[in-house]
Amino acid sequence: MSALDTSQPPTPQWQQGQVLELTIDDLADQGEGVGRWQQRVVFVPDTVIGDRVAVRLIYVKPQYAHGRLLQILEPSPHRVRPACFVADKCGGCQWQQVEYDLQLTIKRNLVIQALERIGGFSSPPVDPMLAATDPLGYRNKATYPLGLSATRQVQAGYYQRGSHQLINLNQCPVQDGRLNPLLAAIKLDIQQRGWSIYDESTHTGTLRHLSLRIGRRTGEVLLTLVAKTADLPDLELQAQEWLHRYPQVVGVALNLNPAATNTIFGRQTQAIAGRIWLGEEFAGLKFQIQPTTFFQVFTEQAERLLGVILQQLHLQGDELLVDAYCGIGTLTLPLATEVRQAIGLEVQPEAVAQAEKNAALNRLTNVTFQTGTVEEQLPALIQPPDIVVLDPPRKGCDRSVLATLQQIQPHQIVYVSCNPATLARDLKILCEDGRYQLQRVQPADFFPQTSHVEAAAFLVRLPLSGRTP
């Protein structure tokens, strides 16, 4: 008998390629499941809290690793069947396998954890999530990269997670269902026209993306092609054919993006047939939305969060309100109907032009828009505002904006954020000298089936007697 005892399996090693068995006990802010092995953390996509899984380590650091799911040994009671048959491949969603109630719980916890760990707030006042009535079929905009299959068939879809391999789609369960019938048919039309498809690795070919946008309330659709050049033979003929075939399509546009970049849209957009905008109704107002306009993808949830903002502000009608990073006035215009005067600040001239047009469309005369950075415009205001609404990009506010707010001291600040980390960082700065108190945080699910979470934080200026020394 050999002196070597092989009855026990070798001790697993912390190295690339190693297979481990783990129990998932959390979900991270990027959507991966979180398991632990000997005090080390392993991030595993496509898993759910409570899953017992076999995982292969693919990227290893001393205290953490990223793993690939090999097998679900014991499924979590919170695991559900995804609505999409390519959910485990497509990078568009991270949580279709997670039951919706758990998604809401995790998202609220992400906000709380950011406020505690980054913001330094003890027991932050975070409300229950503003849940979606329907967590599917909600997106009012879909922008698909285009590609070619091995047999040279035109494809459109989303990139596989962590790669630039295109997952071909003919429908998507999180997009507005009225867009699905257009996708397969338009791909076939592009194929029959023989338009060349862009190859990002060689920067050759012409057609880069297909973008579809719908007014949730009006049903109007904009169809936009994104191309490197305008070299698309018979484009006007095809655009007219689309308008005739699909009565809901009110415009076909061409956006030119000649740059060797992964940015989707270029700066130049032109109407090929019909309008360059669709009509939409939001908070009882009319809006014109163009192909490259920023507009929240979940119309109904944005409207519900606006309702919370109006409720919390207790507007009396005599306030001066400033909406920083205002875009086309999505928040500015509804808020303007409840105050004495509203001012929108926006760096993009095209967005300001649309905001002014939307104000005129709704006959709102007490609102103005100023073009320039918030860093420049906010300190230059002639009259200090009573209320400031902030809705910055994911990177949050520049430090100078926060310093200006501390100087002009509006009575109330509303901070709308799509990034709990930068929200917590900025709230900490605003509250650190005792001038402001965090009254309430309302998280809202603007992106069901993903790990993204929106939140509105409400700050109130404290009287001198109420400030901490």
Side-chain angles (χ1 to χ4, degrees):
M1 182 175 179
S2 170
L4 180 63
D5 182 7
T6 60
S7 61
Q8 297 297 322
T11 302
Q13 299 298 308
W14 187 249
Q15 61 189 15
Q16 185 174 332
Q18 182 66 51
V19 176
L20 305 176
E21 292 187 9
L22 307 167
T23 297
I24 302 300
D25 56 21
D26 202 356
L27 292 175
D29 58 2
Q30 297 301 310
E32 310 100 324
V34 179
R36 287 169 175 82
W37 183 82
Q38 294 189 355
Q39 311 303 314
R40 299 180 175 110
V41 173
V42 185
F43 298 98
V44 190
D46 304 317
T47 55
V48 180
I49 292 175
D51 277 344
R52 181 73 181 167
V53 295
V55 175
R56 185 182 302 280
L57 301 183
I58 58 174
Y59 179 81
V60 179
K61 289 291 186 179
Q63 295 303 319
Y64 72 92
H66 291 269
R68 179 181 295 117
L69 177 65
L70 295 180
Q71 184 181 358
I72 300 171
L73 304 173
E74 184 178 342
S76 165
H78 303 293
R79 176 174 283 276
V80 297
R81 183 174 183 174
C84 179
F85 69 94
V86 293
D88 60 334
K89 301 180 179 65
C90 175
C93 300
Q94 300 89 46
W95 284 355
Q96 283 208 26
Q97 74 281 1
V98 182
E99 71 176 4
Y100 188 55
D101 284 348
L102 182 59
Q103 291 186 34
L104 297 174
T105 299
I106 295 300
K107 290 185 183 189
R108 180 174 182 266
N109 287 341
L110 290 174
V111 175
I112 293 172
Q113 290 166 12
L115 291 171
E116 290 178 341
R117 296 174 183 174
I118 300 172
F121 294 95
S122 177
S123 301
V126 180
D127 287 358
M129 285 287 297
L130 198 63
T133 304
D134 187 349
L136 293 171
Y138 64 88
R139 288 188 62 98
N140 58 34
K141 182 182 179 184
T143 302
Y144 301 102
L146 297 173
L148 291 174
S149 70
T151 57
R152 309 297 292 175
Q153 299 299 304
V154 174
Q155 296 185 318
Y158 293 113
Y159 291 121
Q160 187 168 355
R161 189 182 298 115
S163 78
H164 268 217
Q165 180 179 341
L166 194 65
I167 303 300
N168 189 46
L169 299 174
N170 285 325
Q171 60 180 1
C172 174
V174 299
Q175 316 292 3
D176 188 304
R178 292 170 290 183
L179 297 178
N180 286 328
L182 298 173
L183 182 56
I186 290 170
K187 281 193 296 184
L188 183 59
D189 291 334
I190 292 171
Q191 180 86 37
Q192 292 176 342
R193 289 289 174 188
W195 293 337
S196 65
I197 303 301
Y198 179 76
D199 185 331
E200 63 178 357
S201 63
T202 60
H203 195 50
T204 57
T206 302
L207 201 53
R208 303 175 70 138
H209 287 81
L210 166 65
S211 180
L212 301 172
R213 184 164 226 166
I214 188 168
R216 292 279 285 178
R217 301 278 164 64
T218 63
E220 294 185 352
V221 173
L222 271 183
L223 190 163
T224 304
L225 300 176
V226 183
K228 189 174 76 170
T229 70
D231 184 22
L232 296 171
D234 296 323
L235 174 58
E236 291 185 12
L237 182 63
Q238 180 62 69
Q240 291 292 346
E241 183 178 319
W242 282 329
L243 286 186
H244 178 73
R245 190 193 309 166
Y246 305 111
Q248 70 272 36
V249 175
V250 297
V252 177
L254 176 67
N255 175 270
L256 295 179
N257 183 3
T261 174
N262 59 3
T263 301
I264 294 175
F265 292 108
R267 295 190 61 85
Q268 182 181 347
T269 307
Q270 62 190 79
I272 303 302
R275 302 194 225 126
I276 202 168
W277 53 268
L278 63 78
E280 179 61 306
E281 297 171 5
F282 180 82
L285 300 177
K286 296 178 181 179
F287 283 80
Q288 293 182 2
I289 302 173
Q290 296 187 9
T292 60
T293 297
F294 174 78
F295 190 80
Q296 291 288 0
V297 298
F298 199 154
T299 308
E300 295 85 350
Q301 285 293 86
E303 204 169 59
R304 292 178 69 198
L305 187 61
L306 171 65
V308 173
I309 293 172
L310 286 167
Q311 178 190 51
Q312 185 69 24
L313 287 178
H314 301 294
L315 297 170
Q316 302 300 307
D318 58 353
E319 297 90 352
L320 170 60
L321 180 144
V322 170
D323 183 9
Y325 315 94
C326 70
I328 65 166
T330 309
L331 293 178
T332 326
L333 299 182
L335 291 170
T337 66
E338 304 293 331
V339 299
R340 172 175 57 84
Q341 183 183 1
I343 301 172
L345 310 179
E346 172 57 45
V347 69
Q348 296 290 342
E350 301 88 352
V352 169
Q354 289 183 63
E356 292 173 339
K357 184 173 292 186
N358 287 326
L361 186 65
N362 291 282
R363 296 183 173 88
L364 293 174
T365 58
N366 66 330
V367 57
T368 58
F369 295 92
Q370 299 179 11
T371 306
T373 66
V374 176
E375 293 88 334
E376 298 168 342
Q377 296 289 329
L378 193 60
L381 293 172
I382 297 174
Q383 181 182 349
D386 301 299
I387 300 165
V388 172
V389 177
L390 304 167
D391 191 359
R394 286 188 62 82
K395 66 179 181 179
C397 294
D398 187 88
R399 184 63 186 260
S400 67
V401 172
L402 304 177
T404 298
L405 289 169
Q406 290 173 318
Q407 290 173 357
I408 64 176
Q409 297 184 47
H411 294 299
Q412 297 184 80
I413 298 173
V414 182
Y415 193 135
V416 181
S417 172
C418 61
N419 185 341
T422 54
L423 172 67
R425 178 201 68 196
D426 292 351
L427 293 181
K428 179 180 181 180
I429 294 170
L430 288 169
C431 295
E432 62 188 355
D433 64 359
R435 296 181 188 181
Y436 286 96
Q437 180 183 64
L438 179 60
Q439 275 195 322
R440 176 185 181 187
V441 179
Q442 175 63 73
D445 196 12
F446 279 24
F447 309 96
Q449 317 307 331
T450 80
S451 58
H452 302 296
V453 57
E454 197 92 2
F458 300 92
L459 302 179
V460 62
R461 189 183 73 194
L462 293 174
L464 288 173
S465 60
R467 298 180 186 178
T468 55

